[in-house]
Amino acid sequence: MHCSHCGKCCENTEMPLSEADIKRLERIGYPRRTFVRYDEEGYARLLNKDGYCVFFDKENKKCKVYKFRPLGCRLYPVIYSDEEGIVVDDICPMRDTVSKIEIERKGKLLIKLLKILDREAEQRLRLRQ
Ligand code: SF4
Ligand code: SF4
């Protein structure tokens, strides 16, 4: 795809994080509490600050952790919709530049990621009980 770096996908993000994503970001110096929130269903998600992901550099419209960003951010704008399955997110202005091959490749990775996220959320809920 041709990303225009508009930053829309980093605005009020609800991007879920796997433990592997969290550990990768911890290793480069970000303590978990500074970028992770847990929702009521046990999913870990990116924190927002002033309407954007905590890692978004508003001035330069750049991700501060681009090389280390969560897998969900790498797979975006390919997302999973409960109604339609694997789709390209409507809010991305460059969605038409995502090729069929890319949707297929990213879709497969996304299904794997979702299974991991579900498993980790279940484990957290069990620990909360
Ligand atoms: S919304 Fe689309 S074009 Fe804009 S930064 Fe995200 S992926 Fe790139
Ligand atoms: S980690 Fe980077 S790419 Fe992902 S939402 Fe945050 S600023 Fe955007």
Side-chain angles (χ1 to χ4, degrees):
M1 79 165 295
H2 301 290
C3 173
S4 64
H5 301 283
C6 67
K8 276 196 181 152
C9 54
C10 309
E11 200 175 336
N12 292 316
T13 181
E14 296 199 350
M15 184 59 74
L17 302 165
S18 67
E19 280 299 316
D21 289 326
I22 295 170
K23 289 191 175 110
R24 191 168 59 252
L25 289 159
E26 283 180 322
R27 277 198 295 274
I28 60 164
Y30 293 96
R32 178 177 293 239
R33 65 182 157 72
T34 64
F35 67 90
V36 183
R37 70 177 172 90
Y38 297 97
D39 70 15
E40 63 286 352
E41 291 175 326
Y43 291 88
R45 296 186 187 275
L46 277 170
L47 269 176
N48 288 288
K49 193 181 166 214
D50 301 328
Y52 284 87
C53 169
V54 285
F55 292 124
F56 189 65
D57 171 355
K58 274 200 252 180
E59 234 170 81
N60 300 303
K61 292 203 162 193
K62 272 188 178 168
C63 173
K64 287 189 232 172
V65 293
Y66 191 76
K67 274 208 244 166
F68 303 91
R69 70 198 186 287
L71 181 55
C73 299
R74 290 165 200 262
L75 300 179
Y76 190 85
V78 176
I79 58 163
Y80 183 82
S81 132
D82 283 338
E83 296 77 35
E84 298 169 88
I86 299 295
V87 290
V88 180
D89 197 357
D90 279 349
I91 70 156
C92 172
M94 300 304 281
R95 61 189 171 277
D96 293 340
T97 69
V98 185
S99 69
K100 275 191 184 159
I101 290 172
E102 191 175 352
I103 298 171
E104 206 173 295
R105 184 180 62 78
K106 287 185 169 179
K108 280 184 190 158
L109 291 170
L110 187 53
I111 295 292
K112 280 188 194 166
L113 174 63
L114 292 175
K115 284 185 184 152
I116 293 168
L117 295 170
D118 287 347
R119 200 173 56 233
E120 290 178 350
E122 275 170 30
Q123 280 167 356
R124 285 189 200 102
L125 285 187
R126 268 203 300 275
L127 288 172
R128 276 185 204 170
Q129 285 165 2

